[in-house]
Amino acid sequence: QLVGAVGAVAIGRQFVNAARDLNETMNKTNVVFGEASDSVTAWSKDSAKAMGMSQQQALEAAGTFGNLFTAMKIGRPVAADMSEKLVQLAGDLASFNNVDPTEALTALRAGLVGETEPLRRLGVNLNQATLAQKALDMGLVSTTTGTLPPAIRAQAAYALILDQTGNAQGDFARTSTGLANSQRTLAAEWENTQAMLGQQLLPAVNAVTKVLTQGLTVVNAMPGPIKSIALAAGIA
């Protein structure tokens, strides 16, 4: 019985942590995307089946891209659309190249800020000449000479990444019934289930945490001798 109780507590903690992480990521999504956050959240709900990522993983990845884009003064609705497409592309690249989605996400982020080697391993070749030409073709600059500003470079890199990944795009959906992607979907759905169950436990855990915090605050404010007695008595 003791072993079962300990196991139940451990599972409950795992569920609560999953719910907590999802809530924190949703808060980040709201801050990063502002008025566009509802569309990003709605998009993320199908991420397990669409790209083999849990909702928390998809939102966290989108938020990271969005934070980069908005820091470059790219408007939030545009940043949201670009972020969603890049996260989906990461799922497709992971499927196409048989790598972990985290590796694909890291490579895409690197490519946007000027680190080209990680993307090259996934079949994308970015260099200064192609980026400058793409920026010119997009009307973002008037010459191919000089250094591209970060925001323009990111937009040109984003366009080139989409241009050069045509073979991989849609691969997760095409091969969703294969073992590798079925396992990714299963793992993502399980993480979503943990978060959903954890949401039911959060109010009770929050209440207990507040009571314990208040108790420790009172004990810590006691004079030294009284505090020692309280600690020895197991009050804190």
Side-chain angles (χ1 to χ4, degrees), residues 35-122:
E35 69 275 13
S37 62
D38 286 347
S39 66
V40 176
T41 300
W43 158 83
S44 71
K45 290 180 179 179
D46 193 42
S47 59
K49 293 182 176 65
M51 60 197 88
M53 299 182 200
S54 69
Q55 184 178 21
Q56 193 277 331
Q57 185 181 11
L59 283 175
E60 179 62 33
T64 299
F65 285 126
N67 202 36
L68 174 65
F69 292 139
T70 55
M72 294 176 176
K73 308 302 181 186
I74 296 174
R76 282 175 168 152
V78 175
D81 181 67
M82 293 171 69
S83 299
E84 291 174 9
K85 284 185 169 64
L86 284 173
V87 177
Q88 177 65 64
L89 179 58
D92 289 334
L93 285 171
S95 172
F96 192 70
N97 294 282
N98 195 29
V99 299
D100 190 275
T102 302
E103 181 179 339
L105 287 166
T106 299
L108 289 170
R109 286 195 295 269
L112 292 173
V113 298
E115 300 172 24
T116 59
E117 184 57 35
L119 268 180
R120 191 172 290 120
R121 293 197 294 270
L122 298 179

